[in-house]
Amino acid sequence: MQTKQTVNEGLKRAYLITIPAADLTAKIDAEIKKVAPQVRMPGFRPGKVPANLVKKMHGEAMHGQVVNDTIRELVDKLMRDEALRPAMQPEIALNDDYEPGKDAEITVSLEVLPTIDTPSTDGLKLEKLTVPVTDEQIDEALGNIAGQNKSYKDAAKTKKAADGDQLIIDFVGKLDGVEFDGGKAEDAALVLGSGTFIPGFEDQLVGVKTGQEKTITVTFPEDYQAAHLAGKDATFDITVKAVKTETETTLDDEFAKSLGLDSMDKLREIMKAQLEQQTAGLTRTQMKRALLDQLAAGHSFEVPATMVDAEFAQIWQQLQQEAANDEDPAAALKQIEDEKDEYKGIAERRVRLGLLLSEIGQANGVEVTQQEMGMLMQQAAQQYRPEDRQRFVEYIQSEPMAAAQLRAPLYEDKVVDFLFDKADVTEREVTIEELQAAIEAEDSAEAAPAPKKAAAKKKAPAKKADVEGEGAPAADEKPAKKAPAKKAAAAKADDAEAEAKPAAKKASAKKAADAGEAKPAAKKAAPKA
């Protein structure tokens, strides 16, 4: 066996491995001798089938298996002997003109991870913006809960229903005079003006009274989820059993008990904890972005183009999906096309930061424990049917790359927490508006012009800059397969941790790579059976 390096340019490496035909023949003969005792053939006693007959019967299949096994062994040996750390899976090819009896030539092409001086964790300075939870915020949150748990009382039978009133109705839906599945219900509660039912349904019930019967005609939306109803005209025979008006909700112990709690004090305590958790998430986002900015500013090195391409492919796929859902898809697609180079720069930055975090984690003994990994597998398995969950766990246990992908988000969090502990952190109390403004300002700062590049106007779609699985090698320095991109608005490209950003806080079109930020209204449900 002979190995020759054919490419050594930057992070690119290529090798030519020649396997003599005699070596392959010897391996095949050895395999035949190994399996011959188990071969059964009419006319021969068990284990007495001649090797030449075994070779004639199974030689072709054995030859393919031996070649594959030999290639895998030699590539693994190449990685060890040359101390190669592949950025992605190496490309391996057998020469096209190979046939049994000839030497085999294997080409191995790959990019290696860059050698990175262990980043210093000294001198990190971070400001932690905290938001104290006030009684006013708790009161507002409780008011929202009360608004979502409205109560109603029977109105006078002469009361004409208006927007905001609740109707208790029976209805039967028909297409061309024939009832259709799912179009019938009894004692259905409907608040007029809520938009719960398909367009036109609620409007025609304004002004009805208790005991009134009415037939209305509506048209199902063209994009209605039930294909047999989409775009069809239907009638609904409706009986109004009650008209109810909203009653004022009193925030007291009785209200808390209606939610399953002992008292109003307990409800306030829970709401305070929830609000603190929300603001803590925003604080972490702000701190992490500041941390990554410091790391990015202090390190510049070549990154593997294959990793950047893979990262960009995910960003681009997400952008295209969201642009396609925009109110003006053509304009949204053109906009991201105009800024394509900027997204490639974002992908490169994201990969570089992932490699830095991975290097820091490995150098400082950061790891995900077996117990933590077990919990991750069990949590991830819940998305599958009960009968498939064990197979999923076994798959993760047998596939190192799949395991690295699953482990990546937790690994990243642990590296970031390690750096938070090492940093000189000062705290400052701010309002929620000031904290959100600080995060938005960091988004804007990244949009500043860079040398030889146009000003970045958008942020890449939110996605964790996975240390192991996305944009960086796994903790064992083996590349991991890519995970699906995850959406969130106005995420910083390298951080992309918008996990705690309030949904109501929308990013501007210039700062959100989320081309689909302004999405069409959700499809309305049909009257529920």
Side-chain angles (χ1 to χ4, degrees), residues 50-340:
N52 63 328
L53 287 180
V54 175
K55 186 172 185 178
K56 185 176 181 179
M57 291 176 58
H58 304 288
E60 185 175 348
M62 287 185 176
H63 180 271
Q65 185 62 47
V66 166
V67 170
N68 287 335
D69 290 346
T70 302
I71 290 174
R72 183 173 60 252
E73 291 169 3
L74 292 177
V75 170
D76 288 345
K77 184 176 185 299
L78 172 67
M79 298 299 150
R80 293 193 302 271
D81 292 348
E82 298 292 326
L84 299 174
R85 299 190 304 159
M88 302 285 283
Q89 286 284 14
E91 293 182 6
I92 303 169
L94 176 64
N95 55 307
D96 294 334
D97 59 352
Y98 172 73
E99 60 183 44
K102 289 186 177 181
D103 293 350
E105 292 185 339
I106 314 301
T107 57
V108 182
S109 303
L110 70 154
E111 278 191 301
V112 297
L113 294 173
T115 300
I116 307 171
D117 293 335
T118 302
S120 173
T121 58
D122 297 329
L124 292 173
K125 294 182 181 297
L126 297 172
E127 183 178 44
K128 182 178 182 180
L129 304 183
T130 61
V131 180
V133 175
T134 64
D135 288 339
E136 289 76 11
Q137 289 174 306
I138 297 174
D139 290 340
E140 181 180 355
L142 291 174
N144 292 335
I145 292 178
Q148 296 167 4
N149 292 271
K150 295 178 180 178
S151 56
Y152 297 85
K153 65 179 180 180
D154 288 334
K157 293 187 177 181
T158 56
K159 167 79 164 68
K160 293 183 178 182
D163 278 354
D165 289 343
Q166 183 188 65
L167 302 183
I168 305 300
I169 59 175
D170 295 343
F171 60 77
V172 178
K174 299 177 181 179
L175 289 176
D176 298 325
V178 179
E179 291 185 27
F180 58 85
D181 291 340
K184 181 178 181 180
E186 295 181 354
D187 295 328
L190 170 63
V191 176
L192 296 182
S194 65
T196 305
F197 288 2
I198 58 176
F201 191 100
E202 297 171 25
D203 296 342
Q204 297 180 64
L205 295 180
V206 173
V208 298
K209 300 178 183 178
T210 299
Q212 183 176 342
E213 296 182 355
K214 185 173 184 178
T215 298
I216 65 174
T217 300
V218 296
T219 301
F220 283 91
E222 292 290 344
D223 60 349
Y224 192 68
Q225 58 265 35
H228 68 290
L229 298 176
K232 299 288 183 64
D233 290 334
T235 61
F236 283 89
D237 297 331
I238 298 170
T239 300
V240 181
K241 302 177 79 171
V243 175
K244 296 174 175 283
T245 56
E246 182 182 348
T247 59
E248 183 177 354
T249 300
T250 303
L251 296 175
D252 54 14
D253 288 345
E254 290 303 315
F255 175 73
K257 289 177 181 177
S258 71
L259 300 178
L261 300 173
D262 295 335
S263 65
M264 194 62 194
D265 287 342
K266 184 63 176 178
L267 178 57
R268 292 185 68 88
E269 179 184 330
I270 291 174
M271 286 310 307
K272 182 178 181 180
Q274 289 183 353
L275 290 171
E276 288 175 340
Q277 185 177 19
Q278 291 173 9
T279 57
L282 282 172
T283 295
R284 180 182 174 83
T285 296
Q286 169 262 321
M287 284 184 66
K288 182 176 178 183
R289 293 182 181 183
L291 170 68
L292 295 181
D293 279 345
Q294 290 188 44
L295 290 176
H299 299 85
S300 179
F301 50 85
E302 184 181 4
V303 294
T306 50
M307 294 181 73
V308 175
D309 290 344
E311 186 71 23
F312 172 75
Q314 285 204 58
I315 294 173
W316 195 246
Q317 180 184 31
Q318 182 71 14
L319 288 169
Q320 288 181 315
Q321 289 174 351
E322 292 164 355
N325 292 327
D326 193 79
E327 292 179 344
D328 187 350
L333 287 170
K334 182 181 184 304
Q335 188 173 13
I336 64 172
E337 282 286 352
D338 291 343
E339 299 171 353
K340 195 169 186 176

